[in-house]
Structure formats: structure tokens, C-alpha cells
Amino acid sequence: MTNKENFLKGIFKENPLFVALLGMCPSLAVTTSVENAIGMTIAVIFVLVLSNFIISLIMSNSKLAELVKPVRIPVYIVVIATLVTLVEMLMHAYLISLYKSLGIFIPLIVVNCIILGRAEAFAADNKPKDAVIDGMGMALGFGFAIIIVSVFREFLGTGLLTVWKSIQLDLNFIFDFLNISPIGMFTAPAGAFITLGFILAVLAAAQTKKQANKAKGVKSNV
Amino acid sequence: MKNKGLISGLVLLSLGLICGVLLAFVNELTVDRIAAEELRLKFAAIKEFYDIDDFAREEVLLDEGSIFVLKNKNTSEIEHLVYSLSAKGYGDDVEMLVAVNRDLTVEGYTVTYQNESPGIGTKIVDNDFNYNEADDLSDFDSISGATVSSSAVRNIFEQVKNRVEDDFGGDLDDE
């Protein structure tokens, strides 16, 4: 696998949220605004890239890997929990409003399946450089997915798009033009499930159509 | 290899120690800034009610929160009290600032932290609960459909009501 393929697989082919359906809990909870989704993405990039790098570094030393193997899951958890606590402290100190907004979902990154999954499935068996590229791709794929969900939820629920702090797009004129109000349900948990369900349905339909076209092409060639 | 399990355990212990030292180091670097940021947020919220630069101010720590005491710079008399208190809400604790004048009128209140259900419990932010006299909660208006969140707010107001007269009466000097 080339570096480019390794990087892009996390964004498209093996997208953690839209394809593997991993990390659903924070994805549904923090996507009430685009700002929250961006903040969560930054935190996940930091944790996933560094955890993949450190775990790959430990496991690429054959003597150390042999000793770590029987206790590898606790080792992964110690590394991931340390990185998440670092993110939490730094965010609390330097981005306090985002820290308050993300709340409990920052410490919960520790138990995010994507982080532990990539550590066990990829970083432990690959070189540090490949593990970093994989981590970056997967984190960006996760971020890309939650930002898409948050754009729909915030726009439909409030008529706004809060990109960062005071950088906010007011799109309420669209609702005014349609003579309706924003649908508050989209910022509630039910709205998260409905939005993700629609996005997954559209992606599945597109995939089915692509496969049907492919099969048609093969048939006509025959 | 003999004692392989023990050596694996020692490797894990060493890693834990390294991570612990790293966290202690970063904590030491950030702890002051975190405290300053929390205080800055509270002062920014208090500025909604009073121009705090006009007063001598001090913070009295309580078990359940704190009180910002705003005193007359010349006479050192307490002019206003701003309570920073919390109570259990639906998703997490609800934290509020409640500003009370010397004549026990409520200058205002604001939610400084909440993690209530979006669209339901979050209505407590910027809601008028009809709390105008610090020692009287008889006209309190709950939000229909957000019972637990409203109860948290009422609980905070009750904490204020139960102590405000004593606080203006000089009890804060004993804290």
C-alpha cells in the first residue's frame, strides 16, 4: 500500500464513521455545532496520530514487543489515556469555551473505538511512519464525517453555522424565505440519529448505483 | 524466559510512571492558567451586572461554590454579592451566577455552565424565572417540560435565599 492509499483509505474507503460506524457516541453527541465538531476533530487528530506513533514505536522493537504483548491492551490504554488527559488539560487552559462545550466527551475519547481499534489493527503491526499516516487519515476521515453531520444539524436546528467562536454564518434568511422556523429537533439526540441515518442512506444509494453501473459495464463488455 | 509475566508487569508499571510524571509536569504548567481562565470567565459574567472595577472585591469560598463580595472602596461596606453556585441538573451540574443588591433585590442571574438536553433543558439559559427578591421564591416560574433543569435552578435560588440576609448582615466575615 502506498502512502497516499494509506492516508486516503481513512477518509473514504474505510471512513471510521460512515463506513465502519465506529465512534458513534461522540459523533452523535458533539455535532450540535460545527465549532464542536472542529474542536473534537483537533483533539482526535492529536490523540490518534500520537497514540499510533507511540504504540508502533513500542511494538517495532522486537524485544520490547515480546514483553508488551501479554499486557498490550493495558499499555494501549495507558498511552491513550495519557494523551487524552494532556489534550484535556491544554484545552482547559487555552480553549476554555470549547473545553466547556465539549464537556464529558473529551475524556471519553479514551474509550473511542477508533483510537483503540487503530492501535490494535494497524499501529501494532506497522512501522511508525505508516502508523502516523494511517492515524492522520483516520482522524481526518472521522473529522470530515462529524463536520458534515454537524453542518446539517446546526443549520436545520438553528439556522446558523458556528465555525469558530464569533465566526458565525447566519442562514436564517433561508428559513425566512421558506416561511418556516428552524427545526429545533435536529439539535436534540433524535436529530443526530435522523441526520446520520439520512447521510448513510444517501451514501449506500450512491454505492449501490456505482456497483450497478460497474456491473452494467462488465456485462456490455462481455 | 522465566518470570516473563513479571517483566511484562514491570514494563507496564514503568510506562505508567513515565506517563504519570509527564502528566504531573503538564499539570504544573497549566494549573495556574486554568484557575486564571476560570476566574476570567466568572468576572466576564459578573460584568453583565456590575462594573466590577468600581468596587473592592474578594472571593469567599464555600463548600458548594463561592461568593464574590463587591465592597464600597471608601467605606468597605458590602454593596453587592454575586453567588456562584451549582445544583444537580439533568445532564450534569448546573452552575449559575446570582447577583444580589444590598436591598435584597436580584440584579440578575446567568447560567455559567450546563449540559442539559438541547432544546429542552437548555431553555434555562437566558430564561426569566421571575426571581426578583432574593428572599422570596413564591413567584418562581418553572419551564414546562424541563422539570429537572428548572428544579436545579430553583435549588440554586433557594441556596441564595437561605443565606443572603445573613451574608449581608456580617456572617461572611466569619467564613
Side-chain angles (χ1 to χ4, degrees):
Chain A
M1 190 188 292
T2 64
N3 286 342
K4 191 180 169 189
E5 284 169 342
N6 185 18
F7 177 73
L8 290 178
K9 75 177 189 303
I11 299 175
F12 301 109
K13 208 173 162 189
E14 294 177 24
N15 187 292
L17 185 62
F18 288 157
V19 179
L21 298 181
L22 292 174
M24 298 275 284
C25 178
S27 310
L28 296 176
V30 305
T31 49
T32 47
S33 78
V34 179
E35 186 186 20
N36 284 356
I38 292 172
M40 189 58 150
T41 304
I42 294 168
V44 169
I45 288 174
F46 179 84
V47 175
L48 189 50
V49 170
L50 279 179
S51 74
N52 265 13
F53 176 69
I54 294 167
I55 288 161
S56 174
L57 208 59
I58 293 171
M59 300 306 270
S60 57
N61 181 318
S62 57
K63 280 185 183 170
L64 194 57
E66 202 178 316
L67 291 173
V68 164
K69 227 164 199 173
V71 288
R72 67 185 190 288
I73 300 296
V75 165
Y76 299 163
I77 293 288
V78 168
V79 171
I80 294 166
T82 304
L83 292 170
V84 171
T85 312
L86 285 179
V87 167
E88 192 181 4
M89 288 194 285
L90 293 172
M91 213 177 248
H92 197 172
Y94 297 101
L95 295 167
I96 194 163
S97 56
L98 185 65
Y99 168 81
K100 298 229 175 230
S101 180
L102 292 178
I104 188 68
F105 293 97
I106 305 173
L108 278 180
I109 296 173
V110 175
V111 288
N112 189 319
C113 326
I114 302 166
I115 319 270
L116 198 59
R118 293 324 290 173
E120 175 72 351
F122 194 90
D125 302 323
N126 286 280
K127 289 179 188 162
K129 189 187 101 184
D130 294 333
V132 167
I133 294 170
D134 172 79
M136 184 60 86
M138 285 289 163
L140 285 176
F142 173 74
F144 166 68
I146 61 170
I147 288 169
I148 287 179
V149 175
S150 68
V151 165
F152 281 106
R153 288 186 68 195
E154 192 179 7
F155 167 63
L156 293 171
T158 64
L160 303 169
L161 286 180
T162 315
V163 182
W164 196 258
K165 290 185 179 174
S166 54
I167 306 171
Q168 195 176 54
L169 286 176
D170 189 345
L171 301 173
N172 271 299
F173 66 89
I174 297 173
F175 289 97
D176 294 341
F177 176 73
L178 298 170
N179 206 18
I180 55 171
S181 305
I183 310 153
M185 182 196 70
F186 277 96
T187 56
F193 282 101
I194 290 169
T195 308
L196 187 63
F198 269 109
I199 292 172
L200 291 179
V202 169
L203 289 176
Q207 183 71 12
T208 310
K209 198 173 179 188
K210 197 177 163 190
Q211 280 171 349
N213 286 341
K214 214 174 172 184
K216 228 185 220 174
V218 171
K219 219 175 179 182
S220 60
N221 282 343
V222 172
Chain B
M1 193 193 292
K2 276 185 182 177
N3 295 327
K4 199 179 165 190
L6 182 68
I7 296 171
S8 295
L10 285 174
V11 170
L12 180 59
L13 180 68
S14 310
L15 183 69
L17 284 173
I18 294 168
C19 290
V21 169
L22 178 67
L23 287 178
F25 176 70
V26 176
N27 180 56
E28 199 58 37
L29 284 181
T30 54
V31 68
D32 290 338
R33 185 172 170 102
I34 289 171
E37 282 290 294
E38 289 284 353
L39 204 60
R40 183 184 63 77
L41 275 190
K42 277 187 181 160
F43 279 142
I46 292 171
K47 277 182 180 170
E48 284 182 31
F49 312 119
Y50 307 113
D51 190 352
I52 54 175
D53 296 331
D54 293 347
F55 303 98
R57 50 183 194 261
E58 58 187 71
E59 185 181 10
V60 178
L61 296 176
L62 310 171
D63 291 339
E64 59 277 17
S66 62
I67 306 174
F68 293 91
V69 184
L70 304 182
K71 290 181 175 177
N72 186 306
K73 276 182 177 169
N74 300 321
T75 62
S76 292
E77 267 196 4
I78 299 174
E79 297 272 346
H80 312 285
L81 293 175
V82 183
Y83 291 86
S84 172
L85 299 168
S86 64
K88 187 84 197 104
Y90 186 77
D92 200 350
D93 280 354
V94 172
E95 290 175 16
M96 288 185 81
L97 286 181
V98 184
V100 183
N101 299 320
R102 189 167 179 76
D103 59 2
L104 300 190
T105 53
V106 175
E107 183 69 27
Y109 40 85
T110 184
V111 176
T112 50
Y113 175 76
Q114 55 83 24
N115 192 20
E116 303 303 279
S117 308
I120 305 167
T122 49
K123 285 180 187 167
I124 59 171
V125 179
D126 298 328
N127 184 63
D128 181 5
F129 289 95
N130 204 21
Y131 179 49
N132 303 312
E133 300 292 329
D135 56 348
D136 181 14
L137 266 169
S138 56
D139 295 329
F140 180 85
D141 280 340
S142 291
I143 299 172
S144 58
T147 319
V148 178
S149 307
S150 297
S151 297
V153 174
R154 190 184 170 99
N155 186 334
I156 289 169
F157 290 163
E158 266 167 9
Q159 291 178 52
V160 174
K161 181 191 160 199
N162 292 340
R163 59 177 302 147
V164 67
E165 278 188 85
D166 294 337
D167 289 340
F168 274 111
D171 269 19
L172 280 179
D173 299 332
D174 305 331
E175 296 275 353

